[in-house]
Amino acid sequence: MMRRARLAMLLVGAAVWPVAALAQDHHAHQMPAAPAPTPAPAAPMPAMEPGDPAAVSTSPGPEMETPPPPEAGNGPPRAADAIWGADAMRASRAELQRMHGAFPLAWFQLDRFEARLGDGRDGYLWDVQGYYGGPTSRLWVKSEGEGRFGGKVQDVELQALYARAIAPFFDVQAGVRQDVAGPNTSYAVLGIQGLAPYQFELDAALFLSHRGDLTARIEADLDQRITQRLIVQPRAEINLAAQDVPQLGIGAGVDSVALGVRLRYEIAREFAPYVGVEQRWRTGAGAGFARATGESPRATRLVLGVRAWF
């Protein structure tokens, strides 16, 4: 039994020894791995001038690096000037300005044309204005007046003003005003008109008469849309004076205050009838002048009118 076991072990050892020797010999003679090739350095890019068309690329390749942006204050004010030059772009910019509003326009608005009913003093009022000019300088004309039905016109004023833009929504205005009903009075006018924050339309002016009387007027209104065509408009007007003006029945300080609200319906964008109510007060010396002429210092009136523009 022992002899058979020894014989088997000798046979197994004889079979395994050549395989192990062959593997050891192959491992000893294996060649080392070749090192990875080192990439060749990229060729330097030639320097490019700002006006060179080759300097602009919409999809730079791996060998092209996008140049860093110029430091603040060192680049041109407009990006196109860096590519095509300021002289070449000047005419194009002028054409864009003309296309987007840099041309003269004429505009006219019948802001209020209304009948005023109440307190036994039924009458009418108009308030119109318009301009001709470009976006930054314009010639304005304004007219406002009122009278009684069946009677003569009581107040008529005409204004001619030059306006210059001082902000995106505001103009400063200067010119003359002439009153042609009642005592003839000429004024120098300095005012401001525009769209205040929260969409308030503001018109304020100082008037210096040829007699040296200084007065002022402030008007403000706000359009609030109920629907696309139905609009409610609160409106306020304040008249002030630096001194009493007996010839015109104006009192020093706050001479009068008017508050009203009008509801209009735009049959078309350019034409809208309205109905409303307005309360007017004369205060201080102005109330005394009103009583002297038989008027009440306080009046509430129903107004019926139309607003139009073109």
Side-chain angles (χ1 to χ4, degrees), residues 1-229:
M1 179 65 91
M2 295 295 293
R3 290 179 180 178
R4 291 179 180 176
R6 290 176 182 174
L7 181 59
M9 292 177 62
L10 290 173
L11 291 175
V12 171
V16 172
W17 180 82
V19 176
L22 181 60
Q24 183 177 4
D25 182 69
H26 176 74
H27 179 73
H29 292 83
Q30 187 174 2
M31 296 296 294
T38 303
M45 294 296 295
M48 297 182 182
E49 298 295 330
D52 191 350
V56 179
S57 176
T58 57
S59 57
E63 294 132 358
M64 180 182 295
E65 294 183 0
T66 304
E71 297 181 2
N74 295 335
R78 299 175 178 86
D81 292 354
I83 303 172
W84 306 108
D87 293 337
M89 294 303 301
R90 190 173 293 113
S92 178
R93 278 194 295 271
E95 181 64 23
L96 284 175
Q97 290 175 354
R98 285 191 293 270
M99 291 175 60
H100 291 278
F103 52 85
L105 290 174
W107 172 84
F108 176 82
Q109 177 171 287
L110 184 61
D111 192 30
R112 290 181 295 159
F113 185 61
E114 62 191 30
R116 304 159 68 85
L117 312 175
D119 293 340
R121 301 181 61 83
D122 298 346
Y124 56 89
L125 176 143
W126 74 85
D127 182 3
V128 301
Q129 58 183 320
Y131 69 76
Y132 176 81
T136 58
S137 59
R138 297 167 179 172
L139 174 64
W140 281 81
V141 291
K142 301 181 181 181
S143 176
E144 187 172 341
E146 60 181 311
R148 295 184 186 180
F149 292 128
K152 66 177 183 178
V153 178
Q154 294 176 313
D155 297 304
V156 177
E157 67 176 55
L158 303 171
Q159 296 185 44
L161 308 170
Y162 172 76
R164 185 72 180 177
I166 58 173
F169 300 103
F170 270 99
D171 292 348
V172 63
Q173 301 174 338
V176 295
R177 165 187 161 187
Q178 180 67 43
D179 290 359
V180 296
N184 287 338
T185 308
S186 301
Y187 297 88
V189 183
L190 178 63
I192 188 170
Q193 183 172 355
L195 188 65
Y198 303 102
Q199 305 298 310
F200 281 91
E201 292 281 353
L202 181 66
D203 187 356
L206 291 170
F207 306 101
L208 181 63
S209 76
H210 68 277
R211 293 184 294 268
D213 304 322
L214 181 63
T215 58
R217 181 167 60 217
I218 304 172
E219 299 175 272
D221 58 62
L222 174 67
D223 282 356
Q224 292 290 311
R225 289 191 177 272
I226 301 175
T227 68
Q228 288 296 316
R229 294 185 179 273

Side-chain angles (χ1 to χ4, degrees), residues 205-271:
L206 291 170
F207 306 101
L208 181 63
S209 76
H210 68 277
R211 293 184 294 268
D213 304 322
L214 181 63
T215 58
R217 181 167 60 217
I218 304 172
E219 299 175 272
D221 58 62
L222 174 67
D223 282 356
Q224 292 290 311
R225 289 191 177 272
I226 301 175
T227 68
Q228 288 296 316
R229 294 185 179 273
L230 191 62
I231 301 165
V232 61
Q233 182 196 65
R235 184 179 184 279
E237 179 180 331
I238 302 174
N239 289 278
L240 308 101
Q243 66 288 302
D244 291 339
V245 188
Q247 302 94 324
L248 304 177
I250 297 175
V254 179
D255 176 71
S256 65
V257 177
L259 298 176
V261 61
R262 290 163 174 79
L263 181 68
R264 72 176 184 266
Y265 182 80
E266 292 183 340
I267 298 174
R269 297 302 181 193
E270 301 84 1
F271 185 82

